[in-house]
Amino acid sequence: MNQAKSFSQQIETHPEIAARFPDLHPPFDRQAAVTEANRCLYCFDAPCTAACPTHIDVPAFIKKIASGNTTGSAKTILEANILGASCSRACPVDVLCEGSCVMHRYNKQPIEIGRLQRYAMESLYDKGLPHPFTPAADTGMKVALIGAGPASLACAAELRRRGVATTIYEASSLPGGLNTYGIAEYKLPLAESLREIDMLTQLGVDFLFNARVNAGMLVELERTHDAVFLGMGLGAIHKLGITGEELSGVTNALDFIAGYKAGEILSVPERVVVVGAGNTAIDAANAAVRLGAKQVHMIYRRGPDKMSAFEFEYEHARQEGVQFLWHVQPTRILGAGNVEGLELVQLSATDDGSLIPQAGTEYSLPVELVILAIGQATHTSFLGETIKLERGRIAADHATGQTSNPKFFAGGDCTNGGREVVDAVADGKRAGVAMAAWLEAQHANA
Ligand code: SF4
């Protein structure tokens, strides 16, 4: 690590944010964890393990909790998922491991795998023990990784465990990507994301911050490194392209979430609209409620059956008090200097699924803050022509992450268009293992 302070020492959670965004699911204490672990049936060919993109051996880590071996439990988790702590909080367990738990078949509550995983990981980190893994002997090979999000972190960890030197180039001033800046604080606090990365630095991963890689720099990295991993995620959130988008009071969901997590946004106006219906849109809408908005609307062009947010996130937002307006589209943001309202029009769907604005249905919603959450653009313009894209995403082999240029590997949102943290970790892990094997083969053939 190049800096005097650890990452988690460089930033403090604002007390007001900590108070307004307490844990959604409080942690288990020892007794509760052991009791829950003892409910597990330790299934053979466990469906929970199959459902996890990183294939954590769930029955094995739960059994170790039941027998009091929490350090061994955390090690089992880390073998499969180097970001096991943040994934225990950020994963949509209802649709992954817990969603596939056999307990559902017996009309019983699924095992609380996420909370047990968190218990094991936090037990390890709270003890202040060194990271259970150590780097292998230096192979003399080195890899540059673009972006310090979950995919690059997982890839770098695998490479370090195989003796490959790694340097991560990150455009912002802290690591973690969406893990640090983009997930609701009541799910994954910024400080927890950084604490986990502090542990990772013990493997000897180097970071260069405020380093935005452009086309020229990428050519140089290719020349000076044995391979390059592309894990830079996605780019800016799309704009609506309507009048008034330049007004003060229009922002995007990622900036908004990062702003409050960093303690730079502590309150919002009374009336807020979030445009979009994905999981990030929900995180932004819930945050607006918790930051003091009296009225928060989410608006979406289609109906609830088509929203990309998970069902449990939708239910959570309704419980928080978010109101939903379906089949509407913004046509104009109103105001002079500051946002004062949002003009909407009702949409109807044709037989082929196209959406048609209905003349005469326009109306305006009084609002002082508009948050855009309508998907992110790709961030690939700096890549050379030897790296092929498919529908704007980097085309990479699923098993290895290797791209059309064999020296470049890729994973995470820049290849899958924006999925879960655990998917990015799985991509990075696969790519790290494959890169190390590819580098060894290149070395042997040299
Ligand atoms: Fe335990 Fe449920 Fe996984 Fe079976 S499916 S091993 S009961 S968590």
Side-chain angles (χ1 to χ4, degrees), residues 332-353:
R332 197 156 54 115
I333 303 174
L334 309 169
N338 296 319
V339 171
E340 293 168 15
L342 183 64
E343 190 179 81
L344 300 166
V345 67
Q346 209 72 37
L347 298 172
S348 66
T350 61
D351 289 345
D352 68 359

Side-chain angles (χ1 to χ4, degrees), residues 39-43 46-49 58-59 62 100-103 111 113:
R39 280 208 313 125
C40 178
L41 303 176
Y42 310 122
C43 304
C48 49
T49 293
V58 176
I62 292 181
S100 65
C101 177
V102 295
M103 289 296 186
I111 304 300
I113 301 167

Side-chain angles (χ1 to χ4, degrees), residues 214-246:
N214 57 27
M217 201 168 155
L218 194 66
V219 170
E220 187 60 12
L221 291 178
E222 182 180 6
R223 191 183 69 75
T224 54
H225 290 75
D226 296 289
V228 178
F229 178 76
L230 302 167
M232 62 278 185
L234 293 171
I237 282 194
H238 291 300
K239 296 212 165 206
L240 289 167
I242 59 175
T243 305
E245 220 161 344
E246 74 292 347

Side-chain angles (χ1 to χ4, degrees), residues 67-83:
S67 64
N69 179 9
T70 50
T71 302
S73 176
K75 201 171 167 190
T76 298
I77 294 163
L78 287 168
E79 280 289 352
N81 183 333
I82 203 75
L83 298 185

